[in-house]
Amino acid sequence: MSDQIKFIVDNLNKEPFRKNYNLITFDSLEPMQLLQVLSDVLAEIDPKQVVDIREEMPEQTAKRMLSLLGILKYRPPGNATDMSNFRQGLVIGSKPVIYPVLHWLLQRTNELKKRAYLARFLIKLEVPSEFLQDETVADTNKQYEDLMEAFKTLHKECEQLKTSGFSTAEIRRDISAMEEEKDQLIKRVERLKKRVETVQNHQRMLKIARQLRVEKEREEFLAQQKQEQKNQLFHAVQRLQRIQNQLKSMRHAAADAKPESLMKRLEEEIKFNSYMVTEKFPKELENKKKELHFLQKVVSEPAMGHSDLLELESKINEINTQISQLIEKKMMRNEPIEGKLSLYRQQASIISRKKEAKAEELQEAKEKLANLEREVSVKTNQTREFDGTEVLKGDEFKRYVSKLRSKSTVFKKKHQIIAEFKAEFGLLQRTEELLKQRHENIQHQLQTIEEKKGISGYSYTQEELERVSALKSEVDEVKGRTLDDMSEMVKRLNSLVSEKKSALAPVIKELRQLRQKCQELTQECDEKKSQYDSCAAGLESNRSKLEQEVRGLREECLQDESRYHYTNCMIKNLEVQLCRATDEMKTYVSSDQQEKRKAIREQYTKNIAEQENLGKKLREKQKAVRESHGPNMKQVKMWRDFEQLMECKKQCFLKQQSQTSIGQKSHEAKIKVSARVRSSWRLLGRMQLLVFSGFWRPPAFLGLWSFDCLPGMGFS
């Protein structure tokens, strides 16, 4: 408990409360102050709860706090029977009730703020069903529910954006960077414009550049469309292959199937379905209804305690003993017919249980089969999406496996050959390295010999000449081959162009005819569309006119209904007033005095007379108060001065007693005190004389200063 109070005090001293409490001052708070602290904490969570407890009724305060705690899903400690104690403690400001509430609220303030904010928009208003029969109310309720769902989605998106890691500072930095880039681009464009303005025909060149950019964008768009059409064609081809494979499988299944096997299979399915519908499902439905009835009965009964449970257990034990006694009696009889029937019944029950078990197994197998087929379809779709190939089945899969085996043998052979080639390549690489080393050694020896003979670089120049001559001969050969290839390519292209022209000639003729038909059909379509638009516009105008008329008639009907109800209400009010007036006339005219006294006129005259008498008395009292107000105020002032004087004398007397030193100062003080006391006694004697003579009466609030106790106060 002390840790709880310490946590509450620490949080109340922080922002935004700043209460400046300590453990002692917080524990010494009165119930009203404690309730005000709880109200301040609730107001921090929900700003609508900013209320001064002193200006609110206790019932309203308890209702407001309980409703908000219910929205915040606060569960008081204890069971349901303690709720009345909790409400009573909340009304009177009990510490054992309010301390746990404050501890729970201050632990999760931010979470509760969010919950209170969402509660304003997500607590649904329950509209009675009889009001929902009205179209306007139903439409408004539906609109309200749609807005609530929209708020949920928007709040989720807002929370996701808050938790996504994007901060406002980063976004502002990005925006500022983008604005700087925009300014730089604008400056660069202006510089380019100034530079281009000096060039001749710059407007025409800009126009051509703009057209070039548009054409490039169009080219990109057309390329994208071409790629999309290729993808669509590829998917269509794959779909066609799948459908063809399905058709093959269905034809194969139909070729193997016979009418007798199909009929037998259908009969089995019909028997199984009939058994499920007529026997199994009704039994399960009956069992579920019994369970539901039993659960409803359990829910409707009040909560049971330990004594009720003991009583039920004793009843169950008694019933079990009775059942065992009845079974023993039945076994003592030993009737042979009943024994045979019980045997058959047992066999029938065993068979029915087996049948139910097999039916359940069959149902589970069917569900499993459906799930597996669903998984197979999903996996096939995934494989189609990954590589675009169809999943093989049956004989095709076997052929595919055999093909894979043959390919695996070929692969092994090729792999062995590759390994041999790799080994040979390693040997050749090693020999190449050795030969390169020998060549370098020989070149080094040759250079040393050339330097000795005085012809250094001779071998290098000779090699260069040989290499250049070889390159020249190769280039000449390549030129000759390229000329021959180009002439052959030109011939091939000419022949291909002529073939394509001859092949496309009939297609072009058909295309011309189709274009003419297309133009005719488009003209006819435009005419039909214009006719349809005109007809639709006429019908729409007629419909709008009829809707306006219907709306006006409905409004008139509603106005007439409201006028009818208003007149009925006025008639009823007038009838009631007429009945009241007739009753008043009867009572006023009747000769019976008791009936006359019951009349409203007599009652009002009596009340008026009583009020006039009361007013006279109050005016007289007011006159007396006004006359005695001045003297009374003077007396009050005199008594207050006298009270201050006596208090001063009391303090002086106590101070005189506390002093231990005896000297001139104390003697002078005694003389002064005795003089003041004598003057006060003279004043008091005059006041006593006035009181005893009856000329003056002290005010009621000075009744504590009794004149009988004054002489015994110790003053000389």
Side-chain angles (χ1 to χ4, degrees), residues 587-598:
T587 54
Y588 188 70
V589 174
S590 65
S591 60
D592 193 1
Q593 293 296 327
Q594 291 182 355
E595 291 291 331
K596 281 187 176 181
R597 287 175 185 173
K598 292 180 182 178

Side-chain angles (χ1 to χ4, degrees), residues 53 56-63 91:
I53 298 294
E56 194 178 25
M57 296 295 290
E59 294 82 5
Q60 294 178 356
T61 304
K63 186 177 179 182
V91 170

Side-chain angles (χ1 to χ4, degrees), residues 62 77 81 113 146 163 182 190 263 282 292 296 368 378 387 397 401 407 507 534 594 668:
T81 57
K113 280 183 182 178
D146 296 338
T163 57
K182 183 181 176 183
E190 289 176 355
M263 288 296 292
L292 180 63
Q296 287 177 352
K368 194 173 181 181
V378 171
D387 55 358
F397 184 71
V401 170
K407 285 183 178 180
V507 177
S534 61
Q594 291 182 355
E668 290 175 359

Side-chain angles (χ1 to χ4, degrees), residues 217-229:
E217 290 178 355
R218 188 182 175 192
E219 184 181 1
E220 290 177 357
F221 178 71
L222 291 173
Q224 189 177 1
Q225 278 189 345
K226 184 178 179 182
Q227 187 64 33
E228 289 177 356
Q229 289 177 359

Side-chain angles (χ1 to χ4, degrees), residues 448-603:
T448 54
I449 293 167
E450 286 176 353
E451 288 176 356
K452 288 178 182 179
K453 299 292 183 181
I455 52 171
S456 61
Y458 175 76
S459 60
Y460 177 73
T461 53
Q462 189 176 1
E463 288 176 359
E464 285 292 325
L465 288 171
E466 290 176 357
R467 189 170 62 79
V468 169
S469 61
L471 285 171
K472 185 176 179 299
S473 61
E474 287 177 0
V475 168
D476 293 336
E477 289 177 0
V478 168
K479 284 182 180 179
R481 284 199 300 273
T482 51
L483 289 171
D484 295 335
D485 293 336
M486 288 174 69
S487 61
E488 289 177 0
M489 190 181 293
V490 169
K491 289 179 182 178
R492 275 203 309 271
L493 289 171
N494 290 325
S495 63
L496 283 171
V497 168
S498 60
E499 287 176 0
K500 294 292 181 183
K501 282 183 180 179
S502 61
L504 290 171
V507 177
I508 291 167
K509 289 180 182 179
E510 291 178 359
L511 182 63
R512 287 172 184 169
Q513 294 175 1
L514 291 171
R515 280 179 180 171
Q516 291 177 359
K517 285 183 180 180
C518 179
Q519 290 177 358
E520 294 173 358
L521 290 171
T522 50
Q523 289 177 0
E524 188 177 356
C525 178
D526 293 334
E527 292 174 358
K528 297 291 184 183
K529 189 175 181 182
S530 61
Q531 292 176 3
Y532 170 75
D533 291 336
S534 61
C535 182
L539 292 172
E540 185 68 24
S541 62
N542 292 328
R543 186 175 68 82
S544 62
K545 288 178 183 178
L546 291 171
E547 284 180 353
Q548 289 177 358
E549 290 177 0
V550 169
R551 200 178 294 113
L553 292 170
R554 281 182 179 174
E555 290 177 355
E556 289 178 1
C557 181
L558 291 171
Q559 290 175 359
D560 293 336
E561 284 182 358
S562 63
R563 200 179 297 115
Y564 169 72
H565 292 303
Y566 177 72
T567 51
N568 279 334
C569 292
M570 293 297 292
I571 289 165
K572 288 181 181 178
N573 289 329
L574 292 171
E575 287 176 355
V576 171
Q577 291 176 3
L578 184 62
C579 290
R580 196 179 292 170
T582 53
D583 293 337
E584 183 67 20
M585 287 295 294
K586 285 178 183 178
T587 54
Y588 188 70
V589 174
S590 65
S591 60
D592 193 1
Q593 293 296 327
Q594 291 182 355
E595 291 291 331
K596 281 187 176 181
R597 287 175 185 173
K598 292 180 182 178
I600 297 171
R601 184 173 180 179
E602 293 293 331
Q603 292 176 4

Side-chain angles (χ1 to χ4, degrees), residues 174-375:
D174 294 338
I175 290 169
S176 61
M178 291 169 72
E179 287 177 352
E180 290 176 359
E181 290 179 0
K182 183 181 176 183
D183 295 335
Q184 291 177 2
L185 288 171
I186 290 168
K187 290 177 182 177
R188 193 179 297 172
V189 168
E190 289 176 355
R191 285 199 300 270
L192 290 172
K193 281 183 179 179
K194 289 178 181 178
R195 192 180 298 173
V196 169
E197 285 175 358
T198 58
V199 182
Q200 293 180 356
N201 297 326
H202 65 278
Q203 293 291 340
R204 186 167 174 274
M205 293 175 71
L206 286 172
K207 187 177 180 181
I208 292 167
R210 195 177 296 113
Q211 289 177 358
L212 178 63
R213 181 174 54 79
V214 170
E215 291 298 327
K216 282 185 177 179
E217 290 178 355
R218 188 182 175 192
E219 184 181 1
E220 290 177 357
F221 178 71
L222 291 173
Q224 189 177 1
Q225 278 189 345
K226 184 178 179 182
Q227 187 64 33
E228 289 177 356
Q229 289 177 359
K230 281 183 179 180
N231 293 329
Q232 290 176 1
L233 179 63
F234 179 69
H235 290 307
V237 170
Q238 285 184 346
R239 198 180 302 116
L240 179 63
Q241 289 178 358
R242 287 197 298 272
I243 292 168
Q244 286 177 355
N245 292 326
Q246 289 178 2
L247 182 63
K248 284 180 184 178
S249 62
M250 291 175 70
R251 283 177 179 173
H252 185 69
D256 294 338
K258 293 181 181 179
E260 293 83 3
S261 62
L262 291 173
M263 288 296 292
K264 190 174 180 181
R265 195 183 307 156
L266 288 171
E267 286 175 357
E268 289 177 356
E269 288 182 359
I270 290 165
K271 286 179 182 179
F272 174 72
N273 292 326
S274 62
Y275 167 72
M276 295 291 287
V277 171
T278 56
E279 295 183 12
K280 193 171 186 302
F281 288 156
K283 286 181 181 178
E284 291 181 356
L285 183 62
E286 190 67 27
N287 292 328
K288 295 291 182 185
K289 284 182 179 178
K290 287 180 181 178
E291 288 180 3
L292 180 63
H293 179 68
F294 177 72
L295 292 172
Q296 287 177 352
K297 190 175 179 182
V298 169
V299 170
S300 62
E301 290 180 355
M304 292 188 295
H306 187 65
S307 59
D308 297 330
L309 291 173
L310 291 173
E311 187 178 354
L312 286 174
E313 286 180 357
S314 63
K315 286 182 180 179
I316 289 166
N317 292 326
E318 290 176 0
I319 292 166
N320 287 330
T321 54
Q322 290 176 5
I323 290 167
S324 62
Q325 288 174 4
L326 290 171
I327 290 168
E328 287 177 358
K329 287 180 181 179
K330 188 176 181 182
M331 290 176 67
M332 291 294 289
R333 290 176 185 174
N334 285 328
E335 293 181 0
I337 297 171
E338 288 291 332
K340 291 179 181 179
L341 288 174
S342 64
L343 181 64
Y344 290 128
R345 283 172 187 164
Q346 287 178 359
Q347 290 178 356
S349 64
I350 290 166
I351 291 166
S352 64
R353 283 197 294 272
K354 286 183 179 179
K355 191 175 181 182
E356 289 178 357
K358 293 296 180 184
E360 289 178 357
E361 288 178 1
L362 183 59
Q363 190 70 22
E364 289 176 358
K366 282 188 175 181
E367 291 177 357
K368 194 173 181 181
L369 180 62
N371 292 327
L372 290 172
E373 287 178 352
R374 204 177 298 114
E375 288 180 2

Side-chain angles (χ1 to χ4, degrees), residues 68 117 139 364 403 524 541 575 627 644 670:
L68 183 58
Y117 168 73
D139 294 337
E364 289 176 358
K403 194 183 291 183
E524 188 177 356
S541 62
E575 287 176 355
E627 289 175 355
Q644 289 178 1
K670 282 181 181 181

